[in-house]
Amino acid sequence: MSVSGIGVDLRCRCIETESRRMVKLIQSVEMFPPSAHCKDTEIIATLKRTGQKICLDPTAPWVKKVIQRILKNKRP
Amino acid sequence: MSVSGIGVDLRCRCIETESRRMVKLIQSVEMFPPSAHCKDTEIIATLKRTGQKICLDPTAPWVKKVIQRILKNKRP
């Protein structure tokens, strides 16, 4: 769930991922592919209203579904 | 290609989208689902090195492929 050092690309941004389904709270989603500094894809969602940033689990089915819905021009 | 008013959620962020395949230049990708202020999904990529932000076409096959690759824990 925690986000550390956004903008700094020297280590992974996410310490842990949010396990709760927060589909309706998602305003936008940022995806970071694996890089020299972090071996796994990281997905960080910005929440509505609060603007809070949370890390999502790229392997969670609900997270994949959210991404696919956005790609299909639908709201999460 | 242009990005206008990032962070301001009162209108669409993208004026036009980049048609060239810039796969290898992509550092991260931000996805904005349709909202009250913009009826279509917007995808904004941040490029390596320059940090330049460009709008991608969510319906372009190469863009969808980039997203799917990131979801699968691969580099674009």
PDB file of all heavy atoms in Angstrom, chain A residues 9 27-36 40-41 67-68 70-71 73-76, chain B residues 9 27-36 40-41 67-68 70-71 73-76:
ATOM      1  N   ASP A   9      14.024   7.146  -9.296  1.00  0.00           N
ATOM      2  CA  ASP A   9      13.966   5.868 -10.000  1.00  0.00           C
ATOM      3  C   ASP A   9      15.124   4.954  -9.618  1.00  0.00           C
ATOM      4  O   ASP A   9      15.637   4.220 -10.435  1.00  0.00           O
ATOM      5  CB  ASP A   9      13.945   6.139 -11.513  1.00  0.00           C
ATOM      6  CG  ASP A   9      13.451   4.937 -12.280  1.00  0.00           C
ATOM      7  OD1 ASP A   9      12.779   4.088 -11.676  1.00  0.00           O
ATOM      8  OD2 ASP A   9      13.763   4.845 -13.486  1.00  0.00           O
ATOM      9  N   GLN A  27      -8.990   7.127  -9.397  1.00  0.00           N
ATOM     10  CA  GLN A  27      -9.083   8.255 -10.324  1.00  0.00           C
ATOM     11  C   GLN A  27      -8.166   8.055 -11.529  1.00  0.00           C
ATOM     12  O   GLN A  27      -8.558   8.306 -12.655  1.00  0.00           O
ATOM     13  CB  GLN A  27      -8.675   9.547  -9.604  1.00  0.00           C
ATOM     14  CG  GLN A  27      -8.805  10.782 -10.481  1.00  0.00           C
ATOM     15  CD  GLN A  27      -8.575  12.043  -9.686  1.00  0.00           C
ATOM     16  OE1 GLN A  27      -7.509  12.256  -9.117  1.00  0.00           O
ATOM     17  NE2 GLN A  27      -9.589  12.864  -9.612  1.00  0.00           N
ATOM     18  N   SER A  28      -6.967   7.607 -11.264  1.00  0.00           N
ATOM     19  CA  SER A  28      -6.043   7.324 -12.362  1.00  0.00           C
ATOM     20  C   SER A  28      -5.052   6.253 -11.904  1.00  0.00           C
ATOM     21  O   SER A  28      -4.965   5.942 -10.712  1.00  0.00           O
ATOM     22  CB  SER A  28      -5.295   8.586 -12.796  1.00  0.00           C
ATOM     23  OG  SER A  28      -4.475   9.047 -11.749  1.00  0.00           O
ATOM     24  N   VAL A  29      -4.350   5.704 -12.881  1.00  0.00           N
ATOM     25  CA  VAL A  29      -3.433   4.601 -12.587  1.00  0.00           C
ATOM     26  C   VAL A  29      -2.120   4.845 -13.326  1.00  0.00           C
ATOM     27  O   VAL A  29      -2.124   5.154 -14.518  1.00  0.00           O
ATOM     28  CB  VAL A  29      -4.039   3.266 -13.077  1.00  0.00           C
ATOM     29  CG1 VAL A  29      -3.036   2.139 -12.910  1.00  0.00           C
ATOM     30  CG2 VAL A  29      -5.313   2.937 -12.316  1.00  0.00           C
ATOM     31  N   GLU A  30      -1.016   4.725 -12.617  1.00  0.00           N
ATOM     32  CA  GLU A  30       0.286   4.889 -13.253  1.00  0.00           C
ATOM     33  C   GLU A  30       1.014   3.537 -13.240  1.00  0.00           C
ATOM     34  O   GLU A  30       1.008   2.836 -12.232  1.00  0.00           O
ATOM     35  CB  GLU A  30       1.106   5.943 -12.493  1.00  0.00           C
ATOM     36  CG  GLU A  30       2.242   6.498 -13.333  1.00  0.00           C
ATOM     37  CD  GLU A  30       2.782   7.821 -12.784  1.00  0.00           C
ATOM     38  OE1 GLU A  30       2.378   8.226 -11.686  1.00  0.00           O
ATOM     39  OE2 GLU A  30       3.623   8.434 -13.468  1.00  0.00           O
ATOM     40  N   MET A  31       1.608   3.194 -14.372  1.00  0.00           N
ATOM     41  CA  MET A  31       2.276   1.899 -14.484  1.00  0.00           C
ATOM     42  C   MET A  31       3.757   2.091 -14.763  1.00  0.00           C
ATOM     43  O   MET A  31       4.129   2.794 -15.708  1.00  0.00           O
ATOM     44  CB  MET A  31       1.663   1.092 -15.630  1.00  0.00           C
ATOM     45  CG  MET A  31       0.165   0.886 -15.492  1.00  0.00           C
ATOM     46  SD  MET A  31      -0.521   0.034 -16.949  1.00  0.00           S
ATOM     47  CE  MET A  31       0.047  -1.637 -16.643  1.00  0.00           C
ATOM     48  N   PHE A  32       4.577   1.432 -13.973  1.00  0.00           N
ATOM     49  CA  PHE A  32       6.024   1.482 -14.165  1.00  0.00           C
ATOM     50  C   PHE A  32       6.515   0.091 -14.537  1.00  0.00           C
ATOM     51  O   PHE A  32       6.427  -0.830 -13.717  1.00  0.00           O
ATOM     52  CB  PHE A  32       6.717   1.950 -12.876  1.00  0.00           C
ATOM     53  CG  PHE A  32       6.316   3.334 -12.440  1.00  0.00           C
ATOM     54  CD1 PHE A  32       5.207   3.535 -11.640  1.00  0.00           C
ATOM     55  CD2 PHE A  32       7.046   4.438 -12.861  1.00  0.00           C
ATOM     56  CE1 PHE A  32       4.830   4.822 -11.243  1.00  0.00           C
ATOM     57  CE2 PHE A  32       6.678   5.727 -12.473  1.00  0.00           C
ATOM     58  CZ  PHE A  32       5.564   5.918 -11.660  1.00  0.00           C
ATOM     59  N   PRO A  33       7.021  -0.086 -15.730  1.00  0.00           N
ATOM     60  CA  PRO A  33       7.533  -1.406 -16.123  1.00  0.00           C
ATOM     61  C   PRO A  33       8.804  -1.749 -15.339  1.00  0.00           C
ATOM     62  O   PRO A  33       9.402  -0.862 -14.716  1.00  0.00           O
ATOM     63  CB  PRO A  33       7.829  -1.239 -17.617  1.00  0.00           C
ATOM     64  CG  PRO A  33       7.925   0.220 -17.864  1.00  0.00           C
ATOM     65  CD  PRO A  33       7.158   0.919 -16.788  1.00  0.00           C
ATOM     66  N   PRO A  34       9.206  -3.014 -15.381  1.00  0.00           N
ATOM     67  CA  PRO A  34      10.455  -3.402 -14.722  1.00  0.00           C
ATOM     68  C   PRO A  34      11.612  -2.556 -15.275  1.00  0.00           C
ATOM     69  O   PRO A  34      11.610  -2.210 -16.457  1.00  0.00           O
ATOM     70  CB  PRO A  34      10.637  -4.868 -15.139  1.00  0.00           C
ATOM     71  CG  PRO A  34       9.293  -5.333 -15.550  1.00  0.00           C
ATOM     72  CD  PRO A  34       8.573  -4.138 -16.080  1.00  0.00           C
ATOM     73  N   SER A  35      12.554  -2.228 -14.414  1.00  0.00           N
ATOM     74  CA  SER A  35      13.695  -1.424 -14.851  1.00  0.00           C
ATOM     75  C   SER A  35      14.944  -1.923 -14.143  1.00  0.00           C
ATOM     76  O   SER A  35      14.890  -2.876 -13.374  1.00  0.00           O
ATOM     77  CB  SER A  35      13.456   0.046 -14.486  1.00  0.00           C
ATOM     78  OG  SER A  35      13.523   0.182 -13.073  1.00  0.00           O
ATOM     79  N   ALA A  36      16.045  -1.245 -14.403  1.00  0.00           N
ATOM     80  CA  ALA A  36      17.296  -1.626 -13.760  1.00  0.00           C
ATOM     81  C   ALA A  36      17.194  -1.461 -12.242  1.00  0.00           C
ATOM     82  O   ALA A  36      17.921  -2.101 -11.488  1.00  0.00           O
ATOM     83  CB  ALA A  36      18.432  -0.765 -14.298  1.00  0.00           C
ATOM     84  N   ASP A  40      10.272  -5.641 -10.737  1.00  0.00           N
ATOM     85  CA  ASP A  40       8.873  -5.936 -11.021  1.00  0.00           C
ATOM     86  C   ASP A  40       8.073  -4.697 -11.422  1.00  0.00           C
ATOM     87  O   ASP A  40       8.366  -3.590 -10.969  1.00  0.00           O
ATOM     88  CB  ASP A  40       8.203  -6.569  -9.788  1.00  0.00           C
ATOM     89  CG  ASP A  40       8.774  -7.945  -9.477  1.00  0.00           C
ATOM     90  OD1 ASP A  40       8.986  -8.714 -10.432  1.00  0.00           O
ATOM     91  OD2 ASP A  40       9.010  -8.231  -8.292  1.00  0.00           O
ATOM     92  N   THR A  41       7.083  -4.924 -12.261  1.00  0.00           N
ATOM     93  CA  THR A  41       6.152  -3.861 -12.624  1.00  0.00           C
ATOM     94  C   THR A  41       5.505  -3.302 -11.361  1.00  0.00           C
ATOM     95  O   THR A  41       5.140  -4.053 -10.458  1.00  0.00           O
ATOM     96  CB  THR A  41       5.050  -4.425 -13.548  1.00  0.00           C
ATOM     97  OG1 THR A  41       5.590  -4.614 -14.854  1.00  0.00           O
ATOM     98  CG2 THR A  41       3.849  -3.496 -13.638  1.00  0.00           C
ATOM     99  N   ILE A  67      -7.514  -2.154 -15.311  1.00  0.00           N
ATOM    100  CA  ILE A  67      -6.692  -1.685 -16.438  1.00  0.00           C
ATOM    101  C   ILE A  67      -7.401  -1.968 -17.768  1.00  0.00           C
ATOM    102  O   ILE A  67      -7.469  -1.107 -18.651  1.00  0.00           O
ATOM    103  CB  ILE A  67      -5.303  -2.390 -16.439  1.00  0.00           C
ATOM    104  CG1 ILE A  67      -4.571  -2.164 -15.115  1.00  0.00           C
ATOM    105  CG2 ILE A  67      -4.457  -1.926 -17.624  1.00  0.00           C
ATOM    106  CD1 ILE A  67      -4.120  -0.766 -14.853  1.00  0.00           C
ATOM    107  N   GLN A  68      -7.954  -3.167 -17.886  1.00  0.00           N
ATOM    108  CA  GLN A  68      -8.631  -3.530 -19.144  1.00  0.00           C
ATOM    109  C   GLN A  68      -9.852  -2.643 -19.372  1.00  0.00           C
ATOM    110  O   GLN A  68     -10.138  -2.236 -20.497  1.00  0.00           O
ATOM    111  CB  GLN A  68      -9.059  -5.008 -19.142  1.00  0.00           C
ATOM    112  CG  GLN A  68      -7.924  -6.008 -18.918  1.00  0.00           C
ATOM    113  CD  GLN A  68      -6.749  -5.877 -19.887  1.00  0.00           C
ATOM    114  OE1 GLN A  68      -6.840  -5.226 -20.915  1.00  0.00           O
ATOM    115  NE2 GLN A  68      -5.617  -6.457 -19.534  1.00  0.00           N
ATOM    116  N   ILE A  70     -10.271   0.450 -18.341  1.00  0.00           N
ATOM    117  CA  ILE A  70      -9.814   1.784 -18.739  1.00  0.00           C
ATOM    118  C   ILE A  70      -9.400   1.771 -20.213  1.00  0.00           C
ATOM    119  O   ILE A  70      -9.738   2.675 -20.982  1.00  0.00           O
ATOM    120  CB  ILE A  70      -8.653   2.279 -17.848  1.00  0.00           C
ATOM    121  CG1 ILE A  70      -9.131   2.392 -16.394  1.00  0.00           C
ATOM    122  CG2 ILE A  70      -8.122   3.619 -18.333  1.00  0.00           C
ATOM    123  CD1 ILE A  70      -8.047   2.762 -15.393  1.00  0.00           C
ATOM    124  N   LEU A  71      -8.699   0.703 -20.614  1.00  0.00           N
ATOM    125  CA  LEU A  71      -8.278   0.582 -22.017  1.00  0.00           C
ATOM    126  C   LEU A  71      -9.487   0.540 -22.952  1.00  0.00           C
ATOM    127  O   LEU A  71      -9.414   0.996 -24.089  1.00  0.00           O
ATOM    128  CB  LEU A  71      -7.467  -0.706 -22.212  1.00  0.00           C
ATOM    129  CG  LEU A  71      -5.951  -0.615 -22.153  1.00  0.00           C
ATOM    130  CD1 LEU A  71      -5.354  -1.971 -22.457  1.00  0.00           C
ATOM    131  CD2 LEU A  71      -5.398   0.438 -23.113  1.00  0.00           C
ATOM    132  N   ASN A  73     -12.086   2.195 -22.636  1.00  0.00           N
ATOM    133  CA  ASN A  73     -12.801   3.459 -22.523  1.00  0.00           C
ATOM    134  C   ASN A  73     -13.960   3.407 -21.529  1.00  0.00           C
ATOM    135  O   ASN A  73     -14.988   4.067 -21.717  1.00  0.00           O
ATOM    136  CB  ASN A  73     -13.312   3.887 -23.896  1.00  0.00           C
ATOM    137  CG  ASN A  73     -13.327   5.393 -24.048  1.00  0.00           C
ATOM    138  OD1 ASN A  73     -12.608   6.103 -23.340  1.00  0.00           O
ATOM    139  ND2 ASN A  73     -14.155   5.887 -24.947  1.00  0.00           N
ATOM    140  N   LYS A  74     -13.794   2.603 -20.480  1.00  0.00           N
ATOM    141  CA  LYS A  74     -14.827   2.523 -19.444  1.00  0.00           C
ATOM    142  C   LYS A  74     -14.250   2.977 -18.117  1.00  0.00           C
ATOM    143  O   LYS A  74     -13.046   2.926 -17.894  1.00  0.00           O
ATOM    144  CB  LYS A  74     -15.331   1.085 -19.299  1.00  0.00           C
ATOM    145  CG  LYS A  74     -16.081   0.600 -20.508  1.00  0.00           C
ATOM    146  CD  LYS A  74     -16.455  -0.859 -20.340  1.00  0.00           C
ATOM    147  CE  LYS A  74     -17.165  -1.368 -21.593  1.00  0.00           C
ATOM    148  NZ  LYS A  74     -17.313  -2.831 -21.587  1.00  0.00           N
ATOM    149  N   ARG A  75     -15.124   3.389 -17.231  1.00  0.00           N
ATOM    150  CA  ARG A  75     -14.668   3.746 -15.884  1.00  0.00           C
ATOM    151  C   ARG A  75     -14.356   2.462 -15.122  1.00  0.00           C
ATOM    152  O   ARG A  75     -14.979   1.438 -15.384  1.00  0.00           O
ATOM    153  CB  ARG A  75     -15.759   4.523 -15.152  1.00  0.00           C
ATOM    154  CG  ARG A  75     -16.137   5.794 -15.910  1.00  0.00           C
ATOM    155  CD  ARG A  75     -17.094   6.638 -15.107  1.00  0.00           C
ATOM    156  NE  ARG A  75     -17.561   7.756 -15.941  1.00  0.00           N
ATOM    157  CZ  ARG A  75     -18.014   8.904 -15.476  1.00  0.00           C
ATOM    158  NH1 ARG A  75     -18.094   9.094 -14.175  1.00  0.00           N
ATOM    159  NH2 ARG A  75     -18.406   9.861 -16.285  1.00  0.00           N
ATOM    160  N   PRO A  76     -13.430   2.535 -14.181  1.00  0.00           N
ATOM    161  CA  PRO A  76     -13.098   1.337 -13.408  1.00  0.00           C
ATOM    162  C   PRO A  76     -14.338   0.868 -12.632  1.00  0.00           C
ATOM    163  O   PRO A  76     -14.680  -0.262 -12.595  1.00  0.00           O
ATOM    164  CB  PRO A  76     -12.026   1.788 -12.423  1.00  0.00           C
ATOM    165  CG  PRO A  76     -11.540   3.098 -12.923  1.00  0.00           C
ATOM    166  CD  PRO A  76     -12.624   3.692 -13.753  1.00  0.00           C
TER     167      PRO A  76
ATOM    168  N   ASP B   9      -8.281  18.659 -13.542  1.00  0.00           N
ATOM    169  CA  ASP B   9      -9.194  17.625 -14.009  1.00  0.00           C
ATOM    170  C   ASP B   9     -10.487  18.217 -14.560  1.00  0.00           C
ATOM    171  O   ASP B   9     -11.555  17.662 -14.411  1.00  0.00           O
ATOM    172  CB  ASP B   9      -9.489  16.664 -12.845  1.00  0.00           C
ATOM    173  CG  ASP B   9     -10.067  15.357 -13.346  1.00  0.00           C
ATOM    174  OD1 ASP B   9      -9.888  15.051 -14.540  1.00  0.00           O
ATOM    175  OD2 ASP B   9     -10.726  14.667 -12.546  1.00  0.00           O
ATOM    176  N   GLN B  27       9.063   5.181 -20.325  1.00  0.00           N
ATOM    177  CA  GLN B  27       9.519   4.906 -18.968  1.00  0.00           C
ATOM    178  C   GLN B  27       8.343   4.499 -18.078  1.00  0.00           C
ATOM    179  O   GLN B  27       8.448   3.569 -17.294  1.00  0.00           O
ATOM    180  CB  GLN B  27      10.166   6.159 -18.386  1.00  0.00           C
ATOM    181  CG  GLN B  27      10.699   5.934 -16.984  1.00  0.00           C
ATOM    182  CD  GLN B  27      11.501   7.126 -16.510  1.00  0.00           C
ATOM    183  OE1 GLN B  27      10.990   8.224 -16.379  1.00  0.00           O
ATOM    184  NE2 GLN B  27      12.772   6.915 -16.278  1.00  0.00           N
ATOM    185  N   SER B  28       7.249   5.217 -18.202  1.00  0.00           N
ATOM    186  CA  SER B  28       6.057   4.863 -17.439  1.00  0.00           C
ATOM    187  C   SER B  28       4.827   5.347 -18.198  1.00  0.00           C
ATOM    188  O   SER B  28       4.935   6.124 -19.145  1.00  0.00           O
ATOM    189  CB  SER B  28       6.100   5.482 -16.041  1.00  0.00           C
ATOM    190  OG  SER B  28       6.056   6.887 -16.135  1.00  0.00           O
ATOM    191  N   VAL B  29       3.679   4.837 -17.769  1.00  0.00           N
ATOM    192  CA  VAL B  29       2.432   5.153 -18.468  1.00  0.00           C
ATOM    193  C   VAL B  29       1.368   5.490 -17.431  1.00  0.00           C
ATOM    194  O   VAL B  29       1.199   4.759 -16.458  1.00  0.00           O
ATOM    195  CB  VAL B  29       1.962   3.930 -19.291  1.00  0.00           C
ATOM    196  CG1 VAL B  29       0.591   4.181 -19.881  1.00  0.00           C
ATOM    197  CG2 VAL B  29       2.965   3.607 -20.391  1.00  0.00           C
ATOM    198  N   GLU B  30       0.662   6.589 -17.634  1.00  0.00           N
ATOM    199  CA  GLU B  30      -0.418   6.956 -16.729  1.00  0.00           C
ATOM    200  C   GLU B  30      -1.746   6.856 -17.475  1.00  0.00           C
ATOM    201  O   GLU B  30      -1.848   7.302 -18.620  1.00  0.00           O
ATOM    202  CB  GLU B  30      -0.198   8.382 -16.210  1.00  0.00           C
ATOM    203  CG  GLU B  30      -0.969   8.657 -14.941  1.00  0.00           C
ATOM    204  CD  GLU B  30      -0.469   9.894 -14.195  1.00  0.00           C
ATOM    205  OE1 GLU B  30       0.396  10.615 -14.723  1.00  0.00           O
ATOM    206  OE2 GLU B  30      -0.962  10.141 -13.074  1.00  0.00           O
ATOM    207  N   MET B  31      -2.733   6.258 -16.828  1.00  0.00           N
ATOM    208  CA  MET B  31      -4.025   6.064 -17.482  1.00  0.00           C
ATOM    209  C   MET B  31      -5.118   6.804 -16.719  1.00  0.00           C
ATOM    210  O   MET B  31      -5.270   6.622 -15.515  1.00  0.00           O
ATOM    211  CB  MET B  31      -4.375   4.576 -17.517  1.00  0.00           C
ATOM    212  CG  MET B  31      -3.310   3.713 -18.184  1.00  0.00           C
ATOM    213  SD  MET B  31      -3.731   1.949 -18.072  1.00  0.00           S
ATOM    214  CE  MET B  31      -5.048   1.840 -19.278  1.00  0.00           C
ATOM    215  N   PHE B  32      -5.887   7.591 -17.455  1.00  0.00           N
ATOM    216  CA  PHE B  32      -7.006   8.314 -16.862  1.00  0.00           C
ATOM    217  C   PHE B  32      -8.298   7.791 -17.474  1.00  0.00           C
ATOM    218  O   PHE B  32      -8.526   7.950 -18.681  1.00  0.00           O
ATOM    219  CB  PHE B  32      -6.882   9.814 -17.144  1.00  0.00           C
ATOM    220  CG  PHE B  32      -5.648  10.439 -16.541  1.00  0.00           C
ATOM    221  CD1 PHE B  32      -4.450  10.456 -17.252  1.00  0.00           C
ATOM    222  CD2 PHE B  32      -5.675  10.994 -15.274  1.00  0.00           C
ATOM    223  CE1 PHE B  32      -3.307  11.023 -16.701  1.00  0.00           C
ATOM    224  CE2 PHE B  32      -4.542  11.565 -14.723  1.00  0.00           C
ATOM    225  CZ  PHE B  32      -3.357  11.575 -15.437  1.00  0.00           C
ATOM    226  N   PRO B  33      -9.148   7.150 -16.681  1.00  0.00           N
ATOM    227  CA  PRO B  33     -10.412   6.651 -17.234  1.00  0.00           C
ATOM    228  C   PRO B  33     -11.340   7.813 -17.594  1.00  0.00           C
ATOM    229  O   PRO B  33     -11.087   8.948 -17.188  1.00  0.00           O
ATOM    230  CB  PRO B  33     -10.988   5.824 -16.079  1.00  0.00           C
ATOM    231  CG  PRO B  33     -10.310   6.297 -14.854  1.00  0.00           C
ATOM    232  CD  PRO B  33      -8.992   6.875 -15.262  1.00  0.00           C
ATOM    233  N   PRO B  34     -12.396   7.525 -18.356  1.00  0.00           N
ATOM    234  CA  PRO B  34     -13.368   8.575 -18.680  1.00  0.00           C
ATOM    235  C   PRO B  34     -13.915   9.182 -17.381  1.00  0.00           C
ATOM    236  O   PRO B  34     -14.067   8.473 -16.384  1.00  0.00           O
ATOM    237  CB  PRO B  34     -14.478   7.816 -19.411  1.00  0.00           C
ATOM    238  CG  PRO B  34     -13.855   6.553 -19.882  1.00  0.00           C
ATOM    239  CD  PRO B  34     -12.784   6.220 -18.907  1.00  0.00           C
ATOM    240  N   SER B  35     -14.171  10.467 -17.417  1.00  0.00           N
ATOM    241  CA  SER B  35     -14.690  11.141 -16.227  1.00  0.00           C
ATOM    242  C   SER B  35     -15.727  12.174 -16.653  1.00  0.00           C
ATOM    243  O   SER B  35     -16.010  12.318 -17.840  1.00  0.00           O
ATOM    244  CB  SER B  35     -13.549  11.849 -15.492  1.00  0.00           C
ATOM    245  OG  SER B  35     -13.102  12.949 -16.279  1.00  0.00           O
ATOM    246  N   ALA B  36     -16.238  12.896 -15.693  1.00  0.00           N
ATOM    247  CA  ALA B  36     -17.212  13.943 -15.996  1.00  0.00           C
ATOM    248  C   ALA B  36     -16.583  15.025 -16.875  1.00  0.00           C
ATOM    249  O   ALA B  36     -17.279  15.733 -17.596  1.00  0.00           O
ATOM    250  CB  ALA B  36     -17.727  14.550 -14.705  1.00  0.00           C
ATOM    251  N   ASP B  40     -13.353  10.415 -22.861  1.00  0.00           N
ATOM    252  CA  ASP B  40     -12.541   9.278 -23.304  1.00  0.00           C
ATOM    253  C   ASP B  40     -11.342   9.026 -22.402  1.00  0.00           C
ATOM    254  O   ASP B  40     -10.780   9.948 -21.821  1.00  0.00           O
ATOM    255  CB  ASP B  40     -12.039   9.514 -24.739  1.00  0.00           C
ATOM    256  CG  ASP B  40     -13.187   9.529 -25.744  1.00  0.00           C
ATOM    257  OD1 ASP B  40     -14.097   8.685 -25.608  1.00  0.00           O
ATOM    258  OD2 ASP B  40     -13.175  10.392 -26.638  1.00  0.00           O
ATOM    259  N   THR B  41     -10.981   7.760 -22.332  1.00  0.00           N
ATOM    260  CA  THR B  41      -9.760   7.380 -21.623  1.00  0.00           C
ATOM    261  C   THR B  41      -8.557   8.121 -22.216  1.00  0.00           C
ATOM    262  O   THR B  41      -8.457   8.262 -23.433  1.00  0.00           O
ATOM    263  CB  THR B  41      -9.533   5.856 -21.768  1.00  0.00           C
ATOM    264  OG1 THR B  41     -10.450   5.174 -20.908  1.00  0.00           O
ATOM    265  CG2 THR B  41      -8.114   5.453 -21.380  1.00  0.00           C
ATOM    266  N   ILE B  67       0.772  -1.805 -22.744  1.00  0.00           N
ATOM    267  CA  ILE B  67       0.092  -1.943 -21.450  1.00  0.00           C
ATOM    268  C   ILE B  67       0.074  -3.421 -21.011  1.00  0.00           C
ATOM    269  O   ILE B  67       0.362  -3.746 -19.858  1.00  0.00           O
ATOM    270  CB  ILE B  67      -1.363  -1.419 -21.541  1.00  0.00           C
ATOM    271  CG1 ILE B  67      -1.392   0.042 -22.008  1.00  0.00           C
ATOM    272  CG2 ILE B  67      -2.096  -1.600 -20.205  1.00  0.00           C
ATOM    273  CD1 ILE B  67      -0.858   1.040 -21.033  1.00  0.00           C
ATOM    274  N   GLN B  68      -0.266  -4.301 -21.963  1.00  0.00           N
ATOM    275  CA  GLN B  68      -0.329  -5.727 -21.623  1.00  0.00           C
ATOM    276  C   GLN B  68       1.046  -6.256 -21.212  1.00  0.00           C
ATOM    277  O   GLN B  68       1.163  -7.067 -20.299  1.00  0.00           O
ATOM    278  CB  GLN B  68      -0.865  -6.565 -22.806  1.00  0.00           C
ATOM    279  CG  GLN B  68      -2.236  -6.146 -23.333  1.00  0.00           C
ATOM    280  CD  GLN B  68      -3.328  -6.081 -22.273  1.00  0.00           C
ATOM    281  OE1 GLN B  68      -3.189  -6.598 -21.173  1.00  0.00           O
ATOM    282  NE2 GLN B  68      -4.430  -5.416 -22.587  1.00  0.00           N
ATOM    283  N   ILE B  70       3.469  -4.545 -19.789  1.00  0.00           N
ATOM    284  CA  ILE B  70       3.788  -4.045 -18.444  1.00  0.00           C
ATOM    285  C   ILE B  70       3.029  -4.864 -17.396  1.00  0.00           C
ATOM    286  O   ILE B  70       3.589  -5.247 -16.368  1.00  0.00           O
ATOM    287  CB  ILE B  70       3.460  -2.536 -18.320  1.00  0.00           C
ATOM    288  CG1 ILE B  70       4.312  -1.734 -19.302  1.00  0.00           C
ATOM    289  CG2 ILE B  70       3.691  -2.048 -16.893  1.00  0.00           C
ATOM    290  CD1 ILE B  70       3.999  -0.244 -19.356  1.00  0.00           C
ATOM    291  N   LEU B  71       1.756  -5.155 -17.693  1.00  0.00           N
ATOM    292  CA  LEU B  71       0.949  -5.967 -16.758  1.00  0.00           C
ATOM    293  C   LEU B  71       1.572  -7.343 -16.548  1.00  0.00           C
ATOM    294  O   LEU B  71       1.444  -7.940 -15.481  1.00  0.00           O
ATOM    295  CB  LEU B  71      -0.465  -6.146 -17.313  1.00  0.00           C
ATOM    296  CG  LEU B  71      -1.551  -5.180 -16.843  1.00  0.00           C
ATOM    297  CD1 LEU B  71      -2.897  -5.582 -17.431  1.00  0.00           C
ATOM    298  CD2 LEU B  71      -1.640  -5.122 -15.320  1.00  0.00           C
ATOM    299  N   ASN B  73       4.600  -7.964 -16.361  1.00  0.00           N
ATOM    300  CA  ASN B  73       5.904  -7.811 -15.738  1.00  0.00           C
ATOM    301  C   ASN B  73       7.059  -7.809 -16.758  1.00  0.00           C
ATOM    302  O   ASN B  73       8.149  -8.287 -16.470  1.00  0.00           O
ATOM    303  CB  ASN B  73       6.123  -8.928 -14.703  1.00  0.00           C
ATOM    304  CG  ASN B  73       6.973  -8.460 -13.540  1.00  0.00           C
ATOM    305  OD1 ASN B  73       7.049  -7.254 -13.271  1.00  0.00           O
ATOM    306  ND2 ASN B  73       7.622  -9.381 -12.865  1.00  0.00           N
ATOM    307  N   LYS B  74       6.761  -7.272 -17.944  1.00  0.00           N
ATOM    308  CA  LYS B  74       7.807  -7.166 -18.964  1.00  0.00           C
ATOM    309  C   LYS B  74       8.041  -5.706 -19.302  1.00  0.00           C
ATOM    310  O   LYS B  74       7.160  -4.865 -19.127  1.00  0.00           O
ATOM    311  CB  LYS B  74       7.375  -7.918 -20.230  1.00  0.00           C
ATOM    312  CG  LYS B  74       7.308  -9.411 -20.033  1.00  0.00           C
ATOM    313  CD  LYS B  74       6.765 -10.082 -21.282  1.00  0.00           C
ATOM    314  CE  LYS B  74       6.657 -11.591 -21.061  1.00  0.00           C
ATOM    315  NZ  LYS B  74       5.888 -12.246 -22.131  1.00  0.00           N
ATOM    316  N   ARG B  75       9.206  -5.433 -19.841  1.00  0.00           N
ATOM    317  CA  ARG B  75       9.487  -4.077 -20.315  1.00  0.00           C
ATOM    318  C   ARG B  75       8.737  -3.851 -21.619  1.00  0.00           C
ATOM    319  O   ARG B  75       8.552  -4.813 -22.378  1.00  0.00           O
ATOM    320  CB  ARG B  75      10.986  -3.885 -20.550  1.00  0.00           C
ATOM    321  CG  ARG B  75      11.780  -4.122 -19.275  1.00  0.00           C
ATOM    322  CD  ARG B  75      13.240  -3.777 -19.473  1.00  0.00           C
ATOM    323  NE  ARG B  75      13.996  -4.217 -18.291  1.00  0.00           N
ATOM    324  CZ  ARG B  75      15.144  -3.690 -17.897  1.00  0.00           C
ATOM    325  NH1 ARG B  75      15.701  -2.728 -18.588  1.00  0.00           N
ATOM    326  NH2 ARG B  75      15.750  -4.117 -16.824  1.00  0.00           N
ATOM    327  N   PRO B  76       8.325  -2.619 -21.883  1.00  0.00           N
ATOM    328  CA  PRO B  76       7.598  -2.347 -23.123  1.00  0.00           C
ATOM    329  C   PRO B  76       8.473  -2.699 -24.328  1.00  0.00           C
ATOM    330  O   PRO B  76       8.105  -3.312 -25.254  1.00  0.00           O
ATOM    331  CB  PRO B  76       7.341  -0.844 -23.118  1.00  0.00           C
ATOM    332  CG  PRO B  76       7.614  -0.379 -21.725  1.00  0.00           C
ATOM    333  CD  PRO B  76       8.525  -1.380 -21.091  1.00  0.00           C
TER     334      PRO B  76
END
